[in-house]
Amino acid sequence: MALTSSTEPAKDPLVGKVPPRKLTREELLKTHKGHVKKQDLAPDAPRPVKQPVMADAYPACTKSLKELEIIPLSDLRVATHHRGQAVIVKIISPPFIGAGSVSIVEDEFGNVDKIAIYNQGDTSILSGVPEGCFVAIKEPYYIYNNSPSASGEALDFMICVDHPSDVILLRFTDPVIPESLRLGPILKTAEDWRTAGDKAFLEKDYPTAIFCYTEALEACDPSAPEDDQKRTSIHTKRSGTNLLLGRYDACRSDAVASLTGSPNADWKAHFNAGRASYGLCDYASAKEHLSKAVELIQSSSSPSSSLAAVQKELARAEARLHEESTGDYPWTDMFSGLLKQGSNPTPHLDRGSFLSNTVVQSSPLHGRGLFATRDLAPGDLVLVEKAALMPNQYSPARASAALYASMIRQLCDNPSLCSSILPLFPGDDFPYSYPADSRSPGDIVDNHPIIDIFQAEGIRTKNCFSLPLATVLATRPSMPDNLLAKGLWIQSSYMNHSCVPNTMRSFMGDLLISRATRPIKKGEEIFQQYCPVKPVPEVREKQFQDSWGFKCVCVLCASERKAATSAQEKWKETMDKIDKTCGKRKIPDNIAVNKGIKSEDMAPESAIRQVDKLMRQLEDLHEAEIYDGLEETGTDLIPRLTLVYPTNWLISAHRGRKNWVKVIKYSLKVLRNFGFRTVSAEQEKADRIEGVEWDPMGLWNMDENRSAGLMTVHVVAALRRLNEAYTALGRKEMAKRCDEAAKFGYMLVCGFEAELSNLDM
């Protein structure tokens, strides 16, 4: 593990040294008081998030406080990570709350300095440490708080605490606090602390209530039988408070600790434990606790309303277990429910994850991958996964920061999540690792999980997905651009990328839906697209390398690497000409009026002829031996993505002129250019004379027709245009087949059977 001791430029003479001069106690407090006063004028100002800069990454402390050497503040050296050391300080100012919590602190020797604590959730007192509290900072990082000056005068420094596990809030009676800093406990008895906790609870200051209840438990005498009931009561109170804060691990632990053997009390403990388990998506445990609560409440003197409340929660847990085992979801009702939320929707759907069709295994392609546990047909659910992490908002500008903040908070509040989230890939370029034979992130040290914010950010950037409120809404031309968010789905993160994958991903609220787009055999690796595929090979290769650090080896990329460089250069020249020609869209209004159409729906004949000519030239540049037959890959059709845009343009142009024969011709070409085996317009005409019609539903039998089809909403659009053209030509049976295929394709795109009319909204 690379443990750097300095991150400032070596030319700075203060790096690694104790500053010759620091601001005095009076100067620090005066400046800090001014900031706090300004803060008080805007108490409800939004709190920014300090996201990690990966170039500044450094490991979290993995040692316990007792393993570290306690040093005075006066020993802190500039731009240095003090490995193997710690400071213990008292907070002597109110906090200034910004991206972090900034306070003035004092050690046992009277040394005074500044501390900035970042990445603490609002469920923790450390998000704004009150004056008079004590904290320990493990392996403190001492930095400039302003720009270094030439003279070194009036320099401001501070302890920067980035990793949430590097700071510990100490109990007032903790023996590690130096005697000279002690004031003695503010409150002495368990009853006093419990009362203080109750007061904080009523004031909705839940983090303080948790702190007080914890102190109350510490004040109880474990050898005194009369304190047993007191401890049970405090555990019950702390359990309920943790539940309100979403600290489900702690809630469940407290609930179990509060069991007494009395039905009148224990049903409440199991009720809390069941709801905490539900919050962790551990529905089997939730059912177990809630079933026990129902059993106990029926033999207690509790009112029937309490029984009804428990039974309601039990029914929810059983419904989630049904979804987990069957993949049976009321998709239409779920979508309608999202729409009813209005302009400020919440993404969180009360649903379980269906994952039994997949398993994580070592992949021959890269690291680990996702594999099928049974044969899957086109359209089958591969998985439905509820987001492990997703902010409760849709805000494109804040999506990344909100997901990062949510990730850190959840890992701190519910350490059980660490075992599933932290093994995810942080990127090949992540700058350090933790030795396998020592502690690492996720391990519990000093009663807290070790959390490395840089590792978490690496995991976020390499594994998160951007998503709309629902994919079906994103297919609408009128889709609002403000309904975008980011989330993390653990099982889905193990799917490796392919430009021509065997699944299609969609979203509904915080559910990720994956369906098979071709037959998948048991044991076969499951692939997804990480992002929409760029038509030009070198452009998409750079995107994959820059964003995820890999070189794609899918059949499309592997095939196109064999294309001649000279041919690809001519691609670009021809595509530029097509772009310029396609811009000549509109014909004069007087001609449009005479033809009874909108001028923007018709292109000039000269432009149509030119685009058709250029497209044929571009087709000729796609070598047949690469795109129409590749024995070693077992496929004979490779997508020709550079041809999709001009082909779609020609469909639109001929549709505007109601030239339905040409619409059919180019719609079939669109399907072929996405890698689907159809028939040419000429073959389709000849087959019809022989009484044979091609089957649009056969597009997804790619194993049989040996093609590498890429499913997108444009495929659905082409099938709709075919339906329209066949209808206009009186070929009702073919129109019906294309409509059925379009509906099936749209189901793959949206994740459920949505109305095709959404594409026109």
Side-chain angles (χ1 to χ4, degrees):
M1 175 168 51
L3 300 180
T4 59
S5 61
S6 171
T7 58
E8 294 290 338
K11 63 183 179 180
D12 186 341
L14 288 184
V15 169
K17 297 180 181 179
V18 174
R21 180 188 181 279
K22 297 191 207 180
L23 297 178
T24 65
R25 177 191 185 100
E26 291 72 23
E27 289 172 326
L28 285 169
L29 287 171
K30 181 180 178 181
T31 303
H32 186 77
K33 183 178 180 181
H35 290 307
V36 172
K37 187 174 181 180
K38 290 179 182 178
Q39 170 185 270
D40 292 341
L41 297 176
D44 299 322
R47 188 168 184 175
V49 175
K50 181 190 178 187
Q51 279 189 265
V53 177
M54 297 305 286
D56 299 332
Y58 65 94
C61 177
T62 60
K63 296 181 178 180
S64 66
L65 185 58
K66 66 182 180 181
E67 295 173 307
L68 301 173
E69 175 195 1
I70 308 302
I71 63 171
L73 292 171
S74 57
D75 281 1
L76 294 176
R77 302 180 305 283
V78 177
T80 300
H81 297 282
H82 295 75
R83 295 298 178 188
Q85 299 174 319
V87 295
I88 294 175
V89 294
K90 178 183 177 182
I91 308 295
I92 62 171
S93 73
F96 171 76
I97 307 297
S101 171
V102 180
S103 302
I104 308 302
V105 298
E106 181 178 22
D107 68 10
E108 63 175 309
F109 304 104
N111 300 307
V112 177
D113 221 313
K114 184 185 301 181
I115 184 173
I117 300 174
Y118 298 101
N119 300 302
Q120 299 287 341
D122 55 10
T123 60
S124 170
I125 288 182
L126 290 168
S127 65
V129 193
E131 184 176 2
C133 287
F134 299 91
V135 295
I137 301 98
K138 302 195 292 184
E139 299 188 333
Y141 179 30
Y142 198 54
I143 66 170
Y144 287 105
N145 191 39
N146 61 1
S147 299
S149 65
S151 64
E153 294 181 356
L155 286 178
D156 191 10
F157 306 92
M158 69 177 184
I159 302 170
C160 176
V161 186
D162 289 312
H163 303 297
S165 52
D166 282 356
V167 58
I168 303 171
L169 179 67
L170 300 172
R171 300 191 336 268
F172 287 106
T173 56
D174 197 312
V176 77
I177 299 173
E179 196 65 37
S180 59
L181 282 181
R182 290 180 183 276
L183 297 175
I186 297 176
L187 302 171
K188 293 186 177 180
T189 69
E191 189 61 40
D192 290 339
W193 280 112
R194 183 173 65 179
T195 301
D198 292 345
K199 182 175 182 294
F201 183 89
L202 292 173
E203 293 172 352
K204 297 186 177 181
D205 183 1
Y206 301 129
T208 298
I210 293 290
F211 180 83
C212 292
Y213 291 143
T214 302
E215 289 285 352
L217 287 170
E218 292 294 332
C220 288
D221 184 354
S223 63
E226 61 271 19
D227 277 6
D228 287 349
Q229 186 174 356
K230 196 179 296 181
R231 275 193 298 272
T232 297
S233 171
I234 297 168
H235 275 299
T236 299
K237 289 174 180 288
R238 195 170 69 172
S239 174
T241 310
N242 276 318
L243 184 63
L244 287 172
L245 289 173
R247 298 174 58 175
Y248 301 121
D249 283 345
C251 169
R252 187 160 59 179
S253 177
D254 274 329
V256 172
S258 71
L259 292 170
T260 64
S262 167
N264 282 325
D266 285 1
W267 77 262
K268 296 177 183 177
H270 283 291
F271 188 37
N272 275 354
R275 288 187 290 172
S277 297
Y278 194 98
L280 292 167
C281 298
D282 183 359
Y283 302 120
S285 177
K287 179 182 177 181
E288 181 180 346
H289 282 293
L290 293 168
S291 297
K292 187 65 177 178
V294 168
E295 177 188 330
L296 292 172
I297 204 171
Q298 289 174 333
S299 60
S300 73
S301 58
S302 300
S304 58
S305 58
S306 298
L307 176 60
V310 178
Q311 288 174 327
K312 181 180 178 181
E313 294 301 311
L314 176 58
R316 290 175 65 207
E318 290 173 338
R320 302 295 80 77
L321 288 169
H322 175 75
E323 290 158 356
E324 286 187 341
S325 62
T326 65
D328 183 18
Y329 297 85
W331 297 114
T332 303
D333 291 344
M334 289 158 58
F335 179 58
S336 298
L338 280 177
L339 294 182
K340 290 176 182 177
Q341 294 185 43
S343 59
N344 189 29
T346 173
H348 298 288
L349 296 178
D350 188 14
R351 299 292 166 183
S353 297
F354 172 65
L355 307 175
S356 60
N357 284 345
T358 62
V359 64
V360 177
Q361 295 176 348
S362 294
S363 168
L365 179 66
H366 182 80
R368 290 163 294 181
L370 206 62
F371 294 79
T373 59
R374 69 176 184 86
D375 290 349
L376 298 169
D380 281 354
L381 276 176
V382 175
L383 59 78
V384 177
E385 184 174 10
K386 186 174 178 64
L389 299 167
M390 185 173 173
N392 193 27
Q393 62 180 13
Y394 286 89
S395 174
R398 298 191 67 251
S400 294
L403 177 57
Y404 165 75
S406 172
M407 186 175 188
I408 299 301
R409 171 181 169 170
Q410 289 296 330
L411 290 172
C412 290
D413 287 353
N414 295 296
S416 63
L417 295 176
C418 292
S419 61
S420 56
I421 293 174
L422 296 185
L424 294 175
F425 184 55
D428 283 324
D429 56 348
F430 192 68
Y432 53 82
S433 60
Y434 291 83
D437 59 349
S438 67
R439 300 185 189 114
S440 60
D443 291 343
I444 303 298
V445 177
D446 293 323
N447 298 316
H448 298 280
I450 299 170
I451 302 298
D452 182 328
I453 63 160
F454 299 103
Q455 179 197 43
E457 177 68 351
I459 289 171
R460 183 196 70 78
T461 57
K462 293 296 186 290
N463 295 276
C464 77
F465 295 102
S466 298
L467 67 152
L469 180 63
T471 297
V472 62
L473 297 177
T475 67
R476 295 177 178 178
S478 59
M479 165 69 180
D481 58 8
N482 64 322
L483 291 181
L484 289 171
K486 289 181 184 288
L488 184 72
W489 290 262
I490 296 170
Q491 188 90 340
S492 301
S493 293
Y494 286 104
M495 265 194 267
N496 283 313
H497 167 85
S498 171
C499 296
V500 282
N502 49 13
T503 69
M504 191 156 194
R505 179 180 67 243
S506 57
F507 296 97
M508 185 181 294
D510 64 342
L511 294 182
L512 185 154
I513 308 160
S514 177
R515 288 189 182 272
T517 57
R518 64 184 69 175
I520 300 174
K521 298 295 184 182
K522 179 180 179 180
E524 183 180 343
E525 184 163 3
I526 297 166
F527 295 97
Q528 64 179 335
Q529 274 187 359
Y530 284 0
C531 59
V533 177
K534 305 292 185 184
V536 179
E538 65 184 53
V539 174
R540 66 172 179 267
E541 187 165 317
K542 184 178 186 304
Q543 181 181 30
F544 298 147
Q545 189 61 50
D546 291 348
S547 299
W548 294 280
F550 71 85
K551 181 178 181 179
C552 184
V553 294
C554 75
V555 63
L556 175 62
C557 291
S559 299
E560 292 194 322
R561 287 192 189 100
K562 299 179 180 180
T565 303
S566 58
Q568 294 195 19
E569 289 301 319
K570 290 180 180 178
W571 281 8
K572 297 173 188 176
E573 294 175 12
T574 309
M575 289 167 65
D576 286 342
K577 292 178 183 178
I578 289 173
D579 284 341
K580 292 175 182 177
T581 307
C582 289
K584 301 172 184 177
R585 176 77 176 170
K586 185 176 177 180
I587 66 171
D589 289 338
N590 61 326
I591 298 177
V593 170
N594 291 336
K595 292 181 176 290
I597 61 171
K598 296 179 181 179
S599 59
E600 61 267 24
D601 287 340
M602 182 180 279
E605 284 282 2
S606 59
I608 294 175
R609 288 194 299 271
Q610 181 67 8
V611 172
D612 187 59
K613 177 182 176 181
L614 290 168
M615 192 189 74
R616 281 185 275 112
Q617 292 176 6
L618 192 56
E619 281 181 331
D620 291 340
L621 290 171
H622 288 72
E623 301 97 319
E625 63 271 18
I626 291 178
Y627 292 91
D628 296 336
L630 204 60
E631 292 183 5
E632 60 266 31
T633 62
T635 61
D636 62 359
L637 276 183
I638 302 298
R640 303 181 301 187
L641 299 181
T642 56
L643 287 162
V644 169
Y645 170 63
T647 317
N648 270 328
W649 189 92
L650 287 168
I651 292 173
S652 180
H654 288 300
R655 182 171 177 254
R657 294 174 177 273
K658 301 187 185 323
N659 188 337
W660 302 116
V661 172
K662 289 292 182 69
V663 169
I664 291 172
K665 174 182 177 179
Y666 290 109
S667 295
L668 291 172
K669 279 184 176 288
V670 165
L671 297 178
R672 186 269 166 266
N673 289 336
F674 275 111
F676 291 96
R677 175 169 290 285
T678 59
V679 293
S680 66
E682 295 75 18
Q683 184 63 47
E684 198 256 0
K685 182 178 180 180
D687 288 346
R688 186 158 54 91
I689 294 174
E690 297 293 328
V692 178
E693 301 277 21
W694 70 285
D695 181 13
M697 285 299 293
L699 294 177
W700 290 279
N701 292 322
M702 297 181 208
D703 283 355
E704 296 178 11
N705 60 36
R706 297 176 61 200
S707 60
L710 171 56
M711 185 60 206
T712 77
V713 72
H714 299 293
V715 172
V716 178
L719 288 166
R720 293 187 79 205
R721 297 290 79 85
L722 285 168
N723 168 41
E724 182 182 28
Y726 284 131
T727 299
L729 294 173
R731 297 176 61 183
K732 295 182 179 180
E733 182 58 33
M734 276 306 301
K736 180 181 177 182
R737 290 185 184 183
C738 290
D739 182 58
E740 291 173 351
K743 289 177 179 177
F744 182 82
Y746 198 47
M747 183 268 291
L748 297 178
V749 170
C750 300
F752 73 108
E753 294 182 358
E755 294 294 330
L756 285 170
S757 57
N758 280 288
L759 293 167
D760 304 319
M761 292 183 181

